[in-house]
Amino acid sequence: MILARDGHLTRELLLEPAKFGLGKTREAESPDATTTAVCGFCSTGCGLEIHLKEGRAVTLTPATDWPVNLGMACPKGWEALTVLNSPDRATRPLKKNANGKLEPTSWDDALKTFCDQLKGVQSRHGNDSVAFLSTGQIATEEMAFLGSLAKFGMGMLHGDGNTRQCMATAATAYKESFGFDAPPFSYADFEESDTLVFIGSNLCIAHPILWERVLRNPHKPEIIVIDPRLTETAQAATTHLQIQPKSDLTLLYTVANLLIQNDWIDRDFIAQHTNHFDEFAQHVAAYTLERAVERTGLPEQTIIDFAEKIHRGERVSFWWTMGVNQSHEGVRTAQAMINLALMTGNIGRPGTGANSVTGQCNAMGSRLFSNTTNLLGGHSFTNPADRQKVADILEIPVERIPTENSWAYDQIIEGIKEDKVKGLWVIATNPAHSWIHQNGLHEILQKLEFLVVQDMYTTTETAQLADLVLPAAGWGEKEGSFINSERRFGLHKKVSPAPGEALADFQIFRAIAGYWGCGDMFSKWTAPERVFETMQQLSQGQPCDISGIGGYQDLDDRRGVQWPFAAGETDIASERRLFADGQFFHADQKAKFRFEETRLPGETASEEYPFTLLTGRGTAAQWHTQTRTAKSGVLRKLYPNMLQVDLHPADAKELGIAPHEEIFVESKRGVIKAHANLTAAVQRGHVFMPMHWETVNQLTFAEFDPYSRQPSYKNAAVRLRRRQDG
C-alpha cells in the first residue's frame, strides 16, 4: 500500500497548484469558484476569500482587496471554516427528560415546549419574569429580529447582550460625550498618526491585523502603551508606562492638568466645539504630579514626558480596549481620553481621535440594533417620538413598545437571584463560563423554572444546564451583516450547509414567532435582507443612517460600507471618519467634557490575599470562552494546553514556587489550580491569567461601572499556595 500509485487515498493526498490564491491544494479541495465574506470572530472585520467547490466552501484565504486587512488574516481567521466541523455541534433540538438528561426531540416539540413553558412562566409571574441574553456573535438582522420578537411580540421588558461584558463602557462614554455611540475613527488612522497612545489594549494579541496596520505606519510614530503588564504590545512600543492597576484615570487627569498649565491645548477648538471645559480644568487642577506618582507608581519625569509627547504630536490618537472598559470606573477613564483628544484638537482629522476598538465581530451591531439598551437604530425607549417612529416603520401598535429601559445584564442575573426572573432565553453566548464570579452564577441559574439555550454547540457550560437546547447554524452557514470597530457594515454569506437539523438563528426566530402567535407582526421579514431594508428605514435621520446603501449587493461590491451613509450621499471613500466638521450629536452640536473624582476598586490586595489578579487575552489563537477556537487542532497547538498563572520570579522565589509547578490560586470566591509561569512581564505583587479557561472566573470580583454596568474583570485579590502546603 505504501508503494501504490493509484487507488484509495493516493489521489486524495496529491497536491496540485491552487486555482485561487497561493500554494497547493488537494484535488478534493480544488475550488471552482470564490466569494468573499467578512470574518465572524473579532471586531476587526477582515475580508476572507472563500474557496468554493460545487457551491460549498472547501478552504479560504484572506481577501487582498478588502480595505480592513489588506490580504492578511490572523490564526482564527484562517481556521474559520475548520471550527464548523466538530462532533459536538448541536444538530437536533434537545429537551431535558424526567431524569434531568438532555435527549433529542423534534423541532415541533421543541417549539411547542419553548412557547408553553415561557408562556406558563409569564402567566404565573408576569411578562417581565422572562428575559433574554443575546450576543455580539450573530448577524445584525438576527439581533433586530430577536429584540423585536422578544419585546414587541412576546412582551418581554428585559433583555441584554454579552456585549455588556466588553463594549458597554465605550458605548456609554461616547453617548455622554458625543451625544451618540459613535466611534470616530477609520483604521487608516493607525497608519496616519504620529503619536499613538494605547491604554489597556494588547492590540498585538487581541487584534493582530490592526497591529499590522500600525506596523505599516510610515511616520516612525511614537507608540505609548499604558498597561500594568509588559504585554506584547508594550514590548514593541517606544514608551511603556507600567502603571499600577486601575490608576489610569488618575494618570490621565494629571496629564490633562499639565497640558492646561502649560497652555498646550487648542483653545479655539474648545471654545467652538465643546462644553464644560472650565469645570473640567478646575476638576483636574487637584491632580498634581505628587498625587499621580503615589497612585500610579510612575516617576514624575515619566508623566511629564508623556504630556510633552502628546503636545508635540501633530496627529495624536488614543486607543483603548478591555483594560479600560472592564473597570469599576471605565466610563470616566474612556472619557478622560476623549477629553484629551478634545482639548488638544485631536479629533476629526486623519490620525487622531479617541478610539475604542471593539471586541466581538458584531458588538457594534448589538449596540445599535439589538433592541436591548437602545430602541432599534439607536433610538430611545423613553422617547415617545422614537417609539412612534419605530412603530410606524414596523407597522405595529405603539403600545407594543416598552416605555422604559431594560435591566442590564447584571441586573437580569440579580433578578433571577431575587426570584423576579423565572425564565431565561440565552442565544449564542456562554454566561456559565464568561460571567464574573462564576460559582455564584451557577447557583443562580439553578433557580430558573426554565432555561433555553440556542447555540452551535451542545457542550458549552450553559447548554449543559439548559432545559431546552435549540441547534443553531454558525458563521458560514447563514447570511447577514456585521458592523466592525470602524463602523463598517460587512456581509457574511452562507457557504456551507448547517449540520443535521440546525437552523439559522433567523429561521429559529421566524419559527418561534409563528408558534407564539405573533408571526403576522413579522410577516415581511422573509429573509435577512428584508430585515436589513427595515434597518435602513429605522436608521434614517439618525447618526448611524445607512439608507444610502444599495442592499447586500452593494455591501459585497464595495467590500463593506462605513456608517453613516445616507440616501444621496456622494462620499463613497472606503475609509471615513466622523467629526471632520467639528459638529457632534448633542442638540447644540458640541461635545461635552465629562469627569468625576477617582476612587479605588472595591477589592484590593491585603495581607490575607496579597496579590492582584489581572485577566485578559491569552494568545492570538484563543477567543473568549473557546467555544469555537478549541475545535481547531491548529489553533490548539498555538497556545498552552494547560492553565498558566504568570507571576514575577522574585515573588515565586519568596514563596518557594518553581517554574511550571502546579499551584493553587485562591480568592474569597474560589480556588483553582494553575501552572506557575515565571516572567518579569508582570510586576511584583501581580499575577495574570488568561480569561479563556473555564475556571478563571471562579476568582473574579463582581464589581460594575455605575454608568455602563460593565463588569470589572481586571482586578481581584488572590493568594498563591503550593500544593504540598495544603
Side-chain angles (χ1 to χ4, degrees):
M1 181 177 177
I2 295 174
L3 299 175
R5 299 182 182 277
D6 54 26
H8 184 58
L9 289 181
T10 52
R11 296 296 303 175
E12 296 171 17
L13 298 176
L14 182 65
L15 296 177
E16 60 181 32
K19 295 185 177 70
F20 303 95
L22 301 175
K24 295 183 177 183
T25 60
R26 292 184 296 159
E27 183 180 25
E29 296 177 348
S30 182
D32 51 44
T34 66
T35 189
T36 54
V38 67
C39 182
F41 271 106
C42 80
S43 67
T44 304
C46 295
L48 301 176
E49 196 84 18
I50 311 296
H51 299 202
L52 305 171
K53 187 178 183 68
E54 298 176 356
R56 180 170 179 166
V58 289
T59 186
L60 61 80
T61 52
T64 57
D65 62 345
W66 206 275
V68 168
N69 51 309
L70 306 172
M72 300 298 293
C74 79
K76 298 184 296 294
W78 279 104
E79 286 293 286
L81 291 172
T82 303
V83 301
L84 299 177
N85 302 315
S86 176
D88 63 344
R89 284 295 303 271
T91 59
R92 293 185 63 186
L94 302 175
K95 179 180 175 181
K96 188 172 287 185
N97 62 23
N99 297 321
K101 301 294 185 181
L102 290 169
E103 62 181 11
T105 189
S106 67
W107 268 109
D108 179 65
D109 181 57
L111 293 169
K112 286 178 179 176
T113 300
F114 177 97
C115 295
D116 290 345
Q117 290 292 332
L118 293 185
K119 283 186 174 182
V121 171
Q122 288 181 323
S123 67
R124 292 188 296 273
H125 307 289
N127 279 2
D128 298 351
S129 65
V130 174
F132 70 91
L133 292 176
S134 181
T135 180
Q137 295 287 310
I138 62 177
T140 318
E141 296 81 357
E142 292 173 330
M143 292 175 176
F145 202 154
L146 168 62
S148 300
L149 168 62
K151 294 198 171 185
F152 310 153
M154 299 169 67
M156 295 186 203
L157 173 60
H158 302 305
D160 201 3
N162 60 21
T163 47
R164 177 74 60 181
Q165 295 162 274
C166 62
M167 298 316 304
T169 285
T172 303
Y174 282 140
K175 285 179 186 177
E176 290 185 357
S177 295
F178 296 158
F180 196 80
D181 179 11
F185 63 96
S186 162
Y187 291 155
D189 293 319
F190 282 117
E191 301 176 35
E192 296 175 0
S193 293
D194 59 20
T195 306
L196 299 101
V197 181
F198 294 98
I199 305 184
S201 172
N202 191 6
L203 197 76
C204 180
I205 290 299
H207 299 86
I209 300 306
L210 299 184
W211 184 247
E212 292 272 355
R213 299 292 297 260
V214 175
L215 297 180
R216 291 166 56 94
N217 189 311
H219 306 296
K220 297 182 179 179
E222 186 77 42
I223 301 174
I224 303 166
V225 171
I226 301 172
D227 201 295
R229 289 197 302 136
L230 182 61
T231 63
E232 291 82 355
T233 309
Q235 292 174 42
T238 55
T239 302
H240 176 209
L241 278 61
Q242 196 166 15
I243 60 172
Q244 290 301 305
K246 302 308 169 195
S247 65
D248 37 10
L249 185 54
T250 296
L251 173 64
L252 295 173
Y253 282 164
T254 303
V255 168
N257 188 24
L258 288 172
L259 293 172
I260 293 168
Q261 288 178 358
N262 288 284
D263 200 28
W264 292 340
I265 58 177
D266 189 334
R267 294 193 178 275
D268 288 341
F269 186 91
I270 292 168
Q272 294 175 29
H273 302 294
T274 71
N275 286 318
H276 311 305
F277 174 73
D278 291 341
E279 298 95 319
F280 173 69
Q282 183 177 356
H283 171 76
V284 298
Y287 286 82
T288 62
L289 279 168
E290 294 77 17
R291 181 175 178 179
V293 168
E294 180 182 0
R295 180 70 182 91
T296 66
L298 297 174
E300 183 174 299
Q301 190 58 47
T302 297
I303 300 171
I304 294 172
D305 290 345
F306 178 31
E308 289 179 342
K309 287 172 182 176
I310 293 174
H311 167 59
R312 290 198 300 269
E314 296 182 3
R315 300 177 305 282
V316 183
S317 57
F318 301 88
W319 306 86
W320 79 89
T321 53
M322 297 310 117
V324 168
N325 287 342
Q326 293 176 340
S327 170
H328 69 292
E329 52 186 7
V331 169
R332 294 297 181 243
T333 304
Q335 289 169 335
M337 279 179 276
I338 294 172
N339 295 341
L340 289 175
L342 292 172
M343 65 193 287
T344 57
N346 277 296
I347 198 161
R349 297 183 291 110
T352 66
N355 307 324
S356 165
V357 179
T358 314
Q360 298 181 72
C361 58
N362 204 20
M364 176 58 72
S366 178
R367 286 152 66 175
L368 292 179
F369 286 101
S370 69
N371 223 26
T372 52
T373 53
N374 302 306
L375 184 55
L376 296 168
H379 293 92
S380 171
F381 283 105
T382 62
N383 185 315
D386 283 359
R387 293 197 302 272
Q388 191 63 58
K389 174 185 174 181
V390 172
D392 290 345
I393 290 172
L394 297 184
E395 299 178 2
I396 63 173
V398 72
E399 294 77 21
R400 288 275 193 170
I401 301 178
T403 59
E404 57 185 292
N405 292 322
S406 164
W407 286 341
Y409 201 125
D410 69 296
Q411 294 164 328
I412 291 173
I413 300 300
E414 190 66 23
I416 301 171
K417 183 179 179 180
E418 296 177 355
D419 291 323
K420 295 177 181 178
V421 174
K422 306 297 291 184
L424 185 66
W425 183 13
V426 176
I427 303 96
T429 187
N430 189 17
H433 178 135
S434 64
W435 190 244
I436 199 164
H437 188 6
Q438 185 187 100
N439 287 339
L441 180 65
H442 282 214
E443 296 172 6
I444 290 169
L445 291 178
Q446 299 293 338
K447 294 172 65 68
L448 289 166
E449 291 183 12
F450 196 68
L451 172 62
V452 185
V453 172
Q454 185 170 316
D455 207 298
M456 291 172 62
Y457 301 98
T458 61
T459 51
T460 70
E461 291 83 359
T462 312
Q464 291 297 299
L465 300 173
D467 298 293
L468 183 68
V469 176
L470 303 180
W475 172 92
E477 299 167 346
K478 57 183 181 176
E479 67 175 355
S481 66
F482 295 147
I483 313 175
N484 76 351
S485 289
E486 59 168 358
R487 313 180 316 280
R488 182 181 301 274
F489 275 83
L491 188 65
H492 66 90
K493 303 171 185 175
K494 181 175 181 177
V495 293
S496 182
E501 298 176 17
L503 297 174
D505 294 281
F506 180 87
Q507 298 300 338
I508 297 174
F509 301 146
R510 273 182 60 84
I512 289 173
Y515 275 73
W516 193 274
C518 58
D520 290 347
M521 188 179 295
F522 309 105
S523 60
K524 293 184 178 179
W525 287 354
T526 56
E529 191 166 7
R530 303 290 82 76
V531 182
F532 182 80
E533 292 164 358
T534 303
M535 288 162 44
Q536 290 184 285
Q537 291 178 274
L538 291 164
S539 75
Q540 285 187 301
Q542 290 290 94
C544 60
D545 195 329
I546 54 169
S547 57
I549 297 175
Y552 279 4
Q553 189 62 53
D554 195 23
L555 285 180
D556 198 22
D557 292 344
R558 292 171 57 187
R559 301 303 191 244
V561 178
Q562 286 180 290
W563 67 258
F565 195 79
E569 178 68 59
T570 57
D571 181 7
I572 60 171
S574 178
E575 298 192 285
R576 295 173 293 127
R577 62 189 54 80
L578 300 178
F579 312 132
D581 56 3
Q583 295 183 356
F584 297 88
F585 297 121
H586 288 295
D588 61 2
Q589 298 185 327
K590 292 186 176 184
K592 294 181 179 180
F593 283 87
R594 301 301 300 262
F595 48 90
E596 189 174 332
E597 187 63 35
T598 60
R599 53 191 175 85
L600 292 175
E603 181 171 272
T604 56
S606 63
E607 184 175 347
E608 186 178 6
Y609 295 93
F611 289 91
T612 298
L613 170 65
L614 310 174
T615 67
R617 190 86 65 199
T619 69
Q622 292 169 288
W623 180 248
H624 292 182
T625 66
Q626 297 194 116
T627 300
R628 286 185 289 168
T629 51
K631 308 302 188 289
S632 163
V634 171
L635 295 180
R636 288 197 303 271
K637 288 181 173 65
L638 299 179
Y639 58 81
N641 61 4
M642 64 187 76
L643 175 58
Q644 295 185 342
V645 54
D646 291 354
L647 70 154
H648 196 280
D651 287 330
K653 183 178 181 180
E654 192 172 283
L655 295 171
I657 295 173
H660 313 301
E661 179 181 350
E662 189 175 52
I663 62 173
F664 292 111
V665 185
E666 184 176 4
S667 75
K668 293 179 180 179
R669 293 157 292 282
V671 55
I672 65 175
K673 291 184 290 186
H675 291 262
N677 181 44
L678 277 52
T679 172
V682 294
Q683 302 179 60
R684 291 207 64 180
H686 299 173
V687 295
F688 171 82
M689 300 181 80
M691 65 184 184
H692 315 288
W693 268 264
E694 177 198 356
T695 56
V696 171
N697 278 325
Q698 294 179 25
L699 305 176
T700 45
F701 176 61
E703 184 175 19
F704 304 87
D705 181 280
Y707 306 104
S708 68
R709 306 305 308 169
Q710 183 160 348
S712 178
Y713 285 95
K714 308 298 185 186
N715 192 83
V718 298
R719 60 190 176 199
L720 308 179
R721 237 178 342 110
R722 301 183 71 202
R723 297 191 69 181
Q724 57 259 49
D725 295 336

